[in-house]
Amino acid sequence: MIYLNIIGHTVEKLEDPFGLLSGDRYEFFLDLEVDEEDELYSEKGTGLKVIFVVDEHETKIASYHFYEKDSEKVLDFDLEEDEKELVLNYCKEHI
């Protein structure tokens, strides 16, 4: 299990200039505190980019990826189910 602690974020509403997508989409950049012993740890910092969808029927994570903060290099890791739930709830609370 990945040790995941969200310590901050930035969020921006994404525009759909052609009106093709239902609902609203938000791009979250989550700042993570990762234990030094975890394989996800980076001295440069680790972040999680999340595309979060809110429409009349549901709220969901459309996509996400971990990245190294200074280089923005994508890190090939997946969230565990309980971590997805944590991220989903965090995004719901901060839009």
Side-chain angles (χ1 to χ4, degrees):
M1 172 182 269
I2 298 170
Y3 170 77
L4 189 66
N5 186 23
I6 302 169
I7 56 173
H9 73 278
T10 59
V11 62
E12 181 178 324
K13 185 174 181 181
L14 300 175
E15 298 301 322
D16 179 15
F18 301 107
L20 300 174
L21 304 170
S22 66
D24 294 322
R25 280 163 174 64
Y26 299 88
E27 183 176 54
F28 276 85
F29 290 93
L30 304 179
D31 299 319
L32 304 178
E33 179 181 61
V34 179
D35 189 273
E36 287 184 34
E37 301 297 318
D38 196 296
E39 59 188 342
L40 191 57
Y41 177 78
S42 169
E43 287 183 12
K44 298 176 182 178
T46 303
L48 180 64
K49 178 181 175 181
V50 177
I51 303 299
F52 185 69
V53 178
V54 178
D55 68 22
E56 59 189 54
H57 304 291
E58 66 180 337
T59 57
K60 67 180 181 179
I61 296 171
S63 67
Y64 68 87
H65 67 263
F66 290 98
Y67 66 95
E68 189 175 72
K69 289 176 84 174
D70 279 357
S71 67
E72 296 188 18
K73 174 184 166 193
V74 173
L75 304 173
D76 189 26
F77 292 95
D78 290 324
L79 289 168
E80 304 279 337
E81 284 305 312
D82 58 338
E83 293 168 333
K84 281 185 185 176
E85 190 69 28
L86 173 81
V87 171
L88 179 70
N89 289 331
Y90 184 91
C91 292
K92 283 181 187 179
E93 291 174 14
H94 292 92
I95 55 170

